[in-house]
Amino acid sequence: MIKEKDVHVARQPIFDVNLNVFAYELLFRSSFINSYDGTDGDQATLDVINNSFLLIGIDTLTYGKKAFINFTANSLKNNIPAMLPKEILGVEILETVIPDKEIIEACRKLKKNGYLLILDDFIFHPDYLPLIELADIIKVDFRITPPAERRNLIQRLDGYPIKFLAEKVETQEEFQSARHLGYSYFQGYFFCKPLVLFGKNLPGYKTNYLHILKEINQPEVDFAAIETIIKQDVSLSYNLLKLINSPIFGFRTTIRSLQQALALLGQKELIKWISLIALKSVANDKPGELILNSLIRAKFAEKLAQEKIWRNRVSDAFLMGMFSHIDVLLDRPMLQILSEIPLKDDIRQALLGQEHNDFSVLYQLIKTYEAGEWELYIQYVEELGIEENLVLQAYRESLIWAHDLLLANY
């Protein structure tokens, strides 16, 4: 059980060229670090890493993927990265680290012992050549690096066995440009922003899923109508029966009919699980991280609502998180999609960013936590009156729940 209040960890995915997750960068927040007086940087870094790994667990955070973690000059000189397993650690060397003899020797030792070395926010300078010779990956910040320099870096370092990571990639155009230039890895919010084509017609099967999402969000759910829609789609029928017979529900007898499944679920659970199946089905041409992140957000929102906010509206909170990427999944404007799905007004306003209400604050809390925007996150925590340790607990449980759900059923 998580009891510490002062340590938080979020994560950001790092993709390969096929949009599979290669690693997660871990973003830390500690009240100790935020007020740190500069007298013991080594211990500060060590405390944050140890507490975070113990409180949440690296398996929960990355599920076998590499964990990219930033290290300061002092932490490198004191060999702190070597306290973590080389199989899962990516050592990010901050741009503020000056490559003196002690730093180069520390990095050489890590490299010899099999650690992955990454140069963070890289800007070329001849003084960095000793580190370049040791580096496995160089991160290039697309927000501050001019387009010409993004290309020149790859050409200048062509003789080194280095892969390049484009970070802070915010649009599909930037992702495609980076891939064309020869970048191997990509980090940023490009994958969760829609490539919106206003005149685009949805494929028939996606129209069917949108139809069922609309049906289950009616004020009075018509179970017969839903059963008819599901029966017309083999994939929906199969996935619903597979889900309800999974260990998540724990029914002792096998559920063999859609009618029985719908009756056992009840309206609130039906809305939740059919939304999940429908969104999973429309995402077959999208990065799997989108569905994973939608699930994490849904459970995260549900748990926070359950803990503090509006316990009678936990299902609405779940739906808000679940639908937060629906514009990307359907490649249509959020406003257009939500006009076709009769969600409650405050949920709709939160997703559209139109009004300031409890759900919009909750939504912003979730997004700033994900991004590691800790100062903004604190503001939203205080506005909702949620204890920080409950947020960390909810996030941890949401990660486990979402990963387990996908691994068990899909």
Side-chain angles (χ1 to χ4, degrees):
M1 186 73 177
I2 295 172
K3 295 180 180 179
E4 298 289 342
K5 186 177 180 179
D6 59 350
V7 177
H8 286 266
V9 187
R11 64 184 199 174
Q12 286 186 0
I14 294 167
F15 297 94
D16 64 18
V17 292
N18 297 313
L19 291 181
N20 297 314
V21 175
F22 167 70
Y24 289 100
E25 179 171 4
L26 302 188
L27 309 171
F28 296 105
R29 175 190 171 271
S30 165
S31 59
F32 175 64
I33 293 297
N34 290 348
S35 60
Y36 171 60
D37 62 8
T39 58
D40 192 356
D42 307 333
Q43 189 61 47
T45 301
L46 183 59
D47 284 348
V48 171
I49 292 172
N50 283 347
N51 288 342
S52 301
F53 274 55
L54 289 171
L55 288 173
I56 292 187
I58 193 62
D59 289 340
T60 299
L61 284 166
T62 69
Y63 278 79
K65 306 295 183 183
K66 289 278 188 183
F68 282 26
I69 298 174
N70 291 324
F71 288 91
T72 61
N74 282 337
S75 61
L76 290 168
K77 290 176 181 179
N78 284 275
N79 206 27
I80 289 177
M83 302 185 71
L84 300 174
K86 64 185 178 183
E87 292 79 13
I88 59 96
L89 180 63
V91 180
E92 286 203 32
I93 303 167
L94 290 170
E95 69 278 9
T96 55
V97 173
I98 298 173
D100 57 29
K101 289 183 179 180
E102 198 173 355
I103 286 292
I104 293 167
E105 182 56 34
C107 291
R108 187 174 286 122
K109 185 177 179 181
L110 288 169
K111 178 78 171 184
K112 182 179 178 180
N113 289 330
Y115 284 87
L116 189 75
L117 300 185
I118 304 105
L119 301 185
D120 191 28
D121 288 347
F122 184 79
I123 297 175
F124 181 81
H125 191 281
D127 289 349
Y128 284 90
L129 283 172
L131 286 181
I132 291 169
E133 292 174 356
L134 297 170
D136 298 287
I137 297 172
I138 284 178
K139 295 181 75 171
V140 179
D141 187 331
F142 266 44
R143 296 271 69 76
I144 63 173
T145 306
E149 183 61 14
R150 300 171 192 170
R151 179 187 303 105
N152 292 341
L153 277 172
I154 292 182
Q155 294 173 347
R156 181 184 287 126
L157 302 177
D158 183 57
Y160 296 90
I162 291 172
K163 293 185 177 180
F164 287 83
L165 188 159
E167 65 174 327
K168 297 184 183 174
V169 177
E170 302 298 313
T171 68
Q172 283 289 333
E173 289 79 6
E174 287 178 341
F175 166 64
Q176 295 297 344
S177 172
R179 188 162 65 171
H180 179 72
L181 288 173
Y183 284 76
S184 300
Y185 303 112
F186 313 87
Q187 182 179 3
Y189 292 102
F190 70 96
F191 80 100
C192 62
K193 290 186 177 180
L195 186 64
V196 175
L197 301 174
F198 283 80
K200 180 179 179 179
N201 291 322
L202 284 177
Y205 72 96
K206 290 192 178 184
T207 303
N208 196 35
Y209 296 133
L210 193 59
H211 184 196
I212 196 167
L213 288 173
K214 181 177 181 179
E215 193 65 44
I216 62 176
N217 283 284
Q218 296 292 346
E220 293 187 12
V221 177
D222 185 340
F223 281 81
I226 291 174
E227 185 179 1
T228 299
I229 296 170
I230 294 173
K231 283 179 177 178
Q232 293 171 356
D233 191 296
V234 175
S235 178
L236 270 178
S237 302
Y238 169 77
N239 283 313
L240 178 58
L241 289 175
K242 183 179 178 182
L243 179 65
I244 201 166
N245 283 296
S246 72
I248 291 171
F249 289 97
F251 292 119
R252 293 183 179 180
T253 58
T254 302
I255 312 303
R256 301 185 185 279
S257 73
L258 290 174
Q259 189 175 25
Q260 187 182 11
L262 296 177
L264 286 170
L265 280 173
Q267 181 171 334
K268 287 186 177 180
E269 289 298 305
L270 172 70
I271 291 172
K272 180 189 299 185
W273 296 108
I274 293 293
S275 297
L276 164 62
I277 293 168
L279 289 181
K280 176 67 173 64
S281 299
V282 302
N284 63 342
D285 58 344
K286 302 291 182 178
E289 189 70 12
L290 272 175
I291 284 296
L292 178 61
N293 189 244
S294 297
L295 292 174
I296 293 169
R297 283 183 173 185
K299 198 66 174 179
F300 198 15
E302 179 187 66
K303 284 188 167 293
L304 293 178
Q306 207 168 35
E307 288 287 353
K308 184 70 181 177
I309 312 169
W310 333 264
R311 295 185 180 182
N312 62 329
R313 299 200 61 190
V314 292
S315 295
D316 292 329
F318 185 95
L319 283 181
M320 180 183 71
M322 182 71 78
F323 287 159
S324 60
H325 290 310
I326 194 170
D327 54 340
V328 192
L329 297 174
L330 295 176
D331 285 327
R332 299 174 72 199
M334 181 70 82
L335 179 62
Q336 186 181 98
I337 296 169
L338 295 186
S339 69
E340 301 170 13
I341 303 175
L343 294 175
K344 293 177 180 174
D345 285 345
D346 48 5
I347 298 293
R348 183 175 179 277
Q349 290 162 358
L351 290 172
L352 293 172
Q354 289 181 333
E355 298 287 342
H356 185 87
N357 58 54
D358 285 339
F359 279 98
S360 67
V361 177
L362 176 61
Y363 187 36
Q364 293 304 315
L365 185 159
I366 290 169
K367 292 202 295 183
T368 53
Y369 193 103
E370 288 175 351
E373 296 173 351
W374 301 119
E375 291 185 8
L376 287 172
Y377 153 76
I378 286 295
Q379 294 177 22
Y380 297 125
V381 166
E382 291 175 351
E383 185 169 352
L384 289 178
I386 300 177
E387 293 182 22
E388 279 198 70
N389 64 316
L390 295 180
V391 178
L392 177 58
Q393 178 73 23
Y395 184 66
R396 178 183 183 276
E397 292 177 358
S398 300
L399 288 176
I400 295 171
W401 178 85
H403 276 286
D404 286 352
L405 181 62
L406 288 183
L407 288 172
N409 295 283
Y410 299 100

